[in-house]
Every structure is written in structure tokens, then in C-alpha cells.
Amino acid sequence: MNFLSHSAFRALFIAIVAIFSLQSPSSFAQNRTPEIKINKSQRQLKEESKDPNDSLNLEERPYFLLIDQSEKALEQNDYEAAALRLVEAMSVEPDNPLNVALLTNLGMIYYYNEQDSMALRVLDEAVRRSPRLIAAHEKRARVLTGMGRDKEAYEEYGRVIDIDSLNTSARFYHAMMALHSGKLPEAEADIACLNRVVPLWTNTVLAHATLFSMTGREREAISLFRRLLDKDKLPEYYAALAGCLIAVDDLNEASRVIGEGMELFKDDAELYFHRAVLNHKRFLPDEAHRDAKRAIQLGADPKRVAAVLKK
């Protein structure tokens, strides 16, 4: 039995996007610090192409002063000011080759400020200007994911793979989306690539665990979800592990895992959902319906909850 529904899968997926972007998994749409600093190689490139008659040092140029101001605004979580400084920088030097990189960061700043449509338009322009710029495609895919436009995000990650077939981040997200949309061969191809390139990476373990849990191989998934929990105590991992344990009728261990998860995450919908399923399998209807009601209050899909409790 597969307990990983669309809502559960998205909860797991969004948490992973946040974690592996070095952000808090509890607030995907907030607390995200964009990377807009010009790296060393870009500075060197600009130095090499600098007009020898230009009397200003690189850091004294209005272009770079505005970028520095944008960085300082970001440190203060002033997204509007950070975005405005980047727009001003690009207007000062509209032909600067670094503007495409600034566009990708500007798009993410709009996204952090919950201006999704503006973010997408800016990233569209970055991709138009530089069709093979991986960062622009990756950030566009990330914004589409946050907007719930999974099909388009899946296609965008596919474009990243077309450019760089060994891009592990794109392979992981592409695999996870393929799994949930029923594209098993595509998912297995992505996971096989991850296994060759980064076999010990946490995302590789997660991809395998998700593959097993969604294809009736819960016993194989259990040890992998335990490994993930040993590293990160996430409610999504507790819920996924509990679902696998219930599927193989290890109800006592499922109860223990759910209890441990609830001690850390008392208001997690998936944990209440799985405890409802567990109590239903134990022929405890009152407890099952009480947990089911609480799961729905916390955001679980009512139809999914009702369907499981009818079995």
C-alpha cells in the first residue's frame, strides 16, 4: 500500500528543496538568503576586460557599489531595496556581461519577497539571454516548484540535464518529480546516475527510499529512511518511515516511530494521518477517527483520509 499521496509527496519534496538549499525546512517561502555576490572568477573576467582608461577601481564603480548595497539590504531582509539596487546596477551598465547573473539573483529576490509572477518573468528573461546558463534554469525550476507548477518545473530540470547530464541536483529533483507523476523509467535513469556519481549523498539515499516506498518495496525503503532520520530529524522522514512500517504490518514499530515523531512535531498532519491509519488497522475506530479529524484540521487531504479509513 502506498501512503505517499500528492500532498505528502509535495511536503517531503518542498522540505528537501529547503534543506539542500541550506535553508530552514519549516519555511520554504521565507528565511532564504539569495547568493548575489560576484565570485572571484567573474571579478577577474571584468578586470581583464576593463577599459585601461577607466580611473575608477573595480569596487569604486557605481555598478559594483550598487551590488554591495543590494547585499547589505539582503542582510537586513529588505528585499525591496535589494531588488531595486540590482535594477539600478543593471541600468548603469546595461551591456555588462554579468547582468545575466544578476537577473537570476533578482528573480530569486522577488521570489523570496513572494512576488512569484515577477520572479518568473525575470528568470524567463535570464534564460532568453543565456539559454545554456544552468543557474537560470535551476532557479526557474525552483520558482515553478514553489508555485505548484510541477509539470513545468520537471521540464525545466530536464533542460538542465540536457545541458549537463551529470548535474546531480537537477537529477535528484527530476527523479522525485518523475516518481510522483508515474514516469518510472525516467526516475530510475536519474537515480542510476546519482548512484554512479554520488552514491553516498543524502539525496541519493532519499531518491532510492522514495522509489522503493512508491513501488511496493517498503522493506527496502525502511532501512534507508532510518538512515535519513539518523542524519536529519524531519517530520516527513518520520511519516514516510511509519507508512512503510504500516505497509509491512510492523505496527508496534510504526507506533513507536509515530510517537517519537510527535514528540518533536506535535502538529504535523502526516503523522496524525499515519496514526489514524495505524489505529484503523488495530481496530480502534474512535481513536482512528479522532486522529483523522486532527490530520484534516492540520491540512491533510480529506478525501485521502476518508479513502484509507474505509479500507
Side-chain angles (χ1 to χ4, degrees):
M1 182 183 298
N2 176 20
F3 292 107
L4 201 58
S5 72
H6 179 75
S7 58
F9 180 88
R10 281 197 59 78
L12 176 61
F13 186 76
I14 293 297
I16 296 309
V17 172
I19 293 163
F20 293 98
S21 299
L22 302 181
Q23 300 153 11
S24 168
S26 63
S27 54
F28 180 68
Q30 299 177 0
N31 297 329
R32 294 174 288 177
T33 303
E35 300 174 358
I36 68 166
K37 293 185 178 180
I38 302 299
N39 63 39
K40 182 178 180 181
S41 62
Q42 288 173 318
R43 286 186 182 274
Q44 289 174 337
L45 178 63
K46 188 58 185 177
E47 283 280 17
E48 293 171 1
S49 60
K50 183 177 177 182
D51 185 344
N53 297 319
D54 190 347
S55 61
L56 290 178
N57 291 326
L58 193 65
E59 286 74 13
E60 295 175 343
R61 292 251 298 279
Y63 184 82
F64 291 103
L65 288 173
L66 287 164
I67 291 174
D68 289 340
Q69 290 172 17
S70 180
E71 291 178 354
K72 291 175 182 177
L74 283 173
E75 292 172 359
Q76 299 172 2
N77 295 321
D78 188 347
Y79 296 131
E80 290 187 9
L84 182 58
R85 297 293 87 79
L86 287 188
V87 171
E88 290 173 345
M90 289 184 283
S91 67
V92 167
E93 296 190 24
D95 297 324
N96 193 307
L98 299 183
N99 283 347
V100 175
L102 294 190
L103 273 177
T104 65
N105 291 308
L106 176 62
M108 293 309 293
I109 291 173
Y110 284 134
Y111 180 56
Y112 303 140
N113 203 36
E114 299 184 0
Q115 296 173 269
D116 295 351
S117 296
M118 180 68 76
L120 194 57
R121 284 199 295 271
V122 169
L123 291 167
D124 286 347
E125 176 62 15
V127 169
R128 186 192 69 79
R129 293 191 188 185
S130 185
R132 296 187 64 80
L133 181 62
I134 288 177
H137 286 287
E138 286 183 324
K139 290 178 180 180
R140 186 173 187 275
R142 184 173 166 194
V143 169
L144 288 166
T145 300
M147 295 172 71
R149 294 164 62 173
D150 293 353
K151 182 179 179 181
E152 293 169 81
Y154 174 78
E155 293 171 351
E156 196 68 12
Y157 282 122
R159 294 185 186 101
V160 175
I161 293 170
D162 289 341
I163 298 169
D164 177 9
S165 63
L166 298 182
N167 186 298
T168 55
S169 178
R171 282 284 186 181
F172 167 72
Y173 295 128
H174 196 256
M176 296 289 278
M177 290 180 164
L179 277 174
H180 192 63
S181 59
K183 298 180 174 68
L184 188 58
E186 291 85 346
E188 290 179 332
D190 288 330
I191 295 172
C193 178
L194 291 174
N195 204 43
R196 288 194 307 272
V197 179
V198 283
L200 301 180
W201 189 30
T202 298
N203 274 9
T204 302
V205 177
L206 176 59
H208 276 290
T210 306
L211 170 65
F212 294 151
S213 68
M214 296 186 75
T215 55
R217 291 178 281 176
E218 288 86 359
R219 293 189 186 280
E220 295 174 80
I222 287 171
S223 63
L224 298 181
F225 279 122
R226 289 193 191 280
R227 283 172 57 185
L228 293 168
L229 271 174
D230 286 343
K231 184 173 182 180
D232 294 299
K233 302 297 185 184
L234 296 179
E236 294 80 12
Y237 291 166
Y238 278 109
L241 175 58
C244 291
L245 290 166
I246 292 171
V248 300
D249 290 323
D250 192 346
L251 303 188
N252 289 336
E253 180 61 9
S255 179
R256 186 196 68 77
V257 168
I258 292 170
E260 183 179 312
M262 284 185 164
E263 287 181 5
L264 298 173
F265 310 100
K266 62 180 180 179
D267 293 324
D268 184 77
E270 283 300 303
L271 289 172
Y272 274 97
F273 167 76
H274 285 295
R275 195 168 73 175
V277 174
L278 177 66
N279 284 325
H280 178 67
K281 295 197 74 170
R282 285 178 161 175
F283 302 101
L284 300 171
D286 292 341
E287 290 85 345
H289 282 89
R290 184 166 55 247
D291 285 333
K293 181 179 179 180
R294 182 59 178 154
I296 293 171
Q297 290 173 343
L298 292 171
D301 182 356
K303 293 182 179 179
R304 174 193 175 212
V305 174
V308 172
L309 295 185
K310 287 180 180 179
K311 295 180 180 179

